[in-house]
């Protein structure tokens, strides 16, 4: 069903949460917009401003690597000052209550971890933009170090001492998905009886396959997203309302 208004959405969601044994939240950029981080596809989102840099172009061109780091640091103020929103806090409450074993996210902003969910229980399908790694030897680099290198070299993206290129620890278009994270996400999806898709346009694959897998393996599916998605028809509950307002009643102070 599509909830006719916010109150109905909250009430129906509360009932589904009550009767669920294992809840799996799956989040996209929409859960973070109220924290000041734009999503990709809404008006004003990243996509409307920049064409994403595909992985092969990052590898092939020093200029693309420089540009990729320019864009990353242009967002630094927004990313560094963002604090978990109401949606993150509600999901952390479900986690603390033992109702949700983990959160699967497409987000790269580290806000689920900051909301109190253990890093091991935040399954990041598209990586994390709050640090960097060498694409060759996987050495971790902090952003402050990268920023200092850029400043010292007039904006030239640095390479690792092994010669590999250094990139934010995110998954770009055309880059392989992290196997372990994908496997764990699928296992968690098979093991839940309520799957909550929150703030995702469900257009990016293979992540968008998870709600389908949930339905196929017998879970109930809830979609909370301002705009309709292609999967609304198969969901048990669809809430086309603001995420923070929908999830706020589920925040438990601790
Ligand atoms: P998307 O931009 O494709 O979709 C976000 C959806 O959230 C939209 O359909 C929009 O209508 C909805 N939305 C936005 N704010 C909302 C709100 N307050 N309440 C209800 N709905 C709201 O994002 P996606 O599906 O996550 O896929 C895009 C890719 O973008 C992901 O791979 C992700 O890695 C990346 N991304 C991440 C961040 C982040 O980490 N915060 C930000 C931008 C993009």
């Amino acid at each position: 069903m599509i909830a006719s208004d916010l109150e109905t959405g909250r009430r129906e969601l509360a009932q589904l949460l009550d009767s669920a044994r294992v809840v799996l939240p799956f989040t996209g950029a929409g859960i973070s917009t109220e924290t000041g981080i734009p999503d990709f596809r809404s008006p004003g989102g990243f996509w409307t401003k920049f064409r994403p840099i595909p992985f092969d172009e990052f590898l092939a061109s020093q200029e693309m690597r420089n540009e990729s780091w320019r864009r990353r640091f242009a967002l630094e103020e927004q990313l560094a000052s963002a604090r978990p929103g109401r949606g993150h806090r509600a999901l952390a409450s479900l986690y603390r209550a033992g109702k949700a074993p983990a959160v699967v996210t497409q987000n790269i902003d580290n806000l689920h971890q900051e909301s109190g969910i253990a890093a091991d229980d935040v399954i990041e399908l598209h990586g994390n933009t709050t640090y960097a790694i060498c694409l060759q030897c996987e050495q971790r680099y902090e952003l402050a170090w990268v920023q200092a290198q850029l400043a010292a070299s007039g904006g030239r993206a640095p390479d690792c001492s092994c010669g590999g290129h250094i990139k934010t620890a995110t998954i770009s278009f055309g880059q392989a998905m992290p196997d372990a994270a994908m496997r764990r996400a699928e296992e968690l999806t098979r093991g839940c009886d309520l799957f909550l898709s929150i703030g995702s346009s469900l257009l990016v694959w293979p992540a968008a396959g998870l709600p389908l897998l949930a339905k196929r393996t017998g879970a109930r599916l809830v979609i909370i997203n301002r705009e309709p998605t292609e999967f609304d028809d198969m969901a048990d509950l669809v809430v086309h309302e603001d995420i923070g307002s929908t999830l706020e009643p589920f925040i438990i102070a601790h």
Side-chain angles (χ1 to χ4, degrees):
M1 71 169 276
I2 298 187
S4 51
D5 55 28
L6 178 62
E7 281 314 314
T8 312
R10 286 171 165 180
R11 198 177 54 243
E12 295 292 326
L13 178 59
Q15 277 172 10
L16 286 168
L17 285 170
D18 271 350
S19 57
R21 222 173 12 88
V22 183
V23 179
L24 183 64
F26 166 73
T27 62
I31 197 171
S32 295
T33 51
E34 77 171 11
T35 76
I37 304 174
D39 64 10
F40 258 175
R41 292 177 178 77
S42 291
F46 290 133
W47 209 283
T48 57
K49 296 187 182 139
F50 296 122
R51 180 187 71 97
I53 299 173
F55 190 53
D56 57 348
E57 290 183 25
F58 180 92
L59 291 180
S61 147
Q62 179 70 46
E63 180 42 42
M64 281 298 161
R65 293 193 287 281
N66 300 349
E67 170 65 11
S68 156
W69 280 113
R70 264 197 301 275
R71 290 183 189 181
R72 173 60 187 82
F73 284 112
L75 293 172
E76 178 58 10
E77 213 170 293
Q78 261 166 342
L79 282 162
S81 63
R83 292 291 162 265
R86 291 171 294 171
H88 298 99
R89 285 169 20 231
L91 299 186
S93 300
L94 288 177
Y95 172 76
R96 273 196 304 275
K99 198 92 185 177
V103 169
V104 175
T105 189
Q106 301 174 82
N107 293 347
I108 54 177
D109 55 25
N110 212 48
L111 290 177
H112 288 302
Q113 291 91 326
E114 285 182 31
S115 74
I117 300 181
D120 281 351
D121 293 329
V122 180
I123 318 307
E124 294 176 319
L125 299 180
H126 297 156
N128 189 308
T129 194
T130 63
Y131 62 97
I133 52 163
C134 166
L135 293 172
Q136 197 158 286
C137 71
E138 296 186 356
Q139 157 92 34
R140 176 178 167 135
Y141 286 88
E142 300 311 319
L143 295 188
W145 179 87
V146 177
Q147 201 164 21
Q149 300 296 309
L150 289 167
S153 66
R156 187 182 164 86
D159 287 333
C160 180
S161 52
C162 82
H165 300 314
I166 296 171
K167 179 177 173 293
T168 56
T170 51
I171 306 297
S172 300
F173 286 100
Q175 188 171 359
M177 291 291 282
D179 278 344
M182 228 15 234
R183 268 200 309 276
R184 178 119 185 262
E186 285 168 4
E187 261 165 41
L188 285 160
T189 301
R190 286 197 178 87
C192 76
D193 61 351
L194 180 62
F195 186 99
L196 308 178
S197 176
I198 302 169
S200 175
S201 59
L202 299 177
L203 290 171
V204 179
W205 289 78
L210 294 172
L212 288 178
L213 177 64
K215 268 315 268 183
R216 254 204 345 259
T217 50
R220 288 185 161 160
L221 172 63
V222 174
I223 296 179
I224 307 173
N225 203 60
R226 209 156 40 199
E227 288 163 319
T229 75
E230 275 180 32
F231 300 116
D232 285 5
D233 286 350
M234 72 172 67
D236 298 272
L237 172 66
V238 178
V239 184
H240 287 156
E241 305 284 343
D242 176 62
I243 291 162
S245 309
T246 305
L247 293 181
E248 191 166 19
F250 303 96
I251 298 173
I252 301 168
H254 73 295

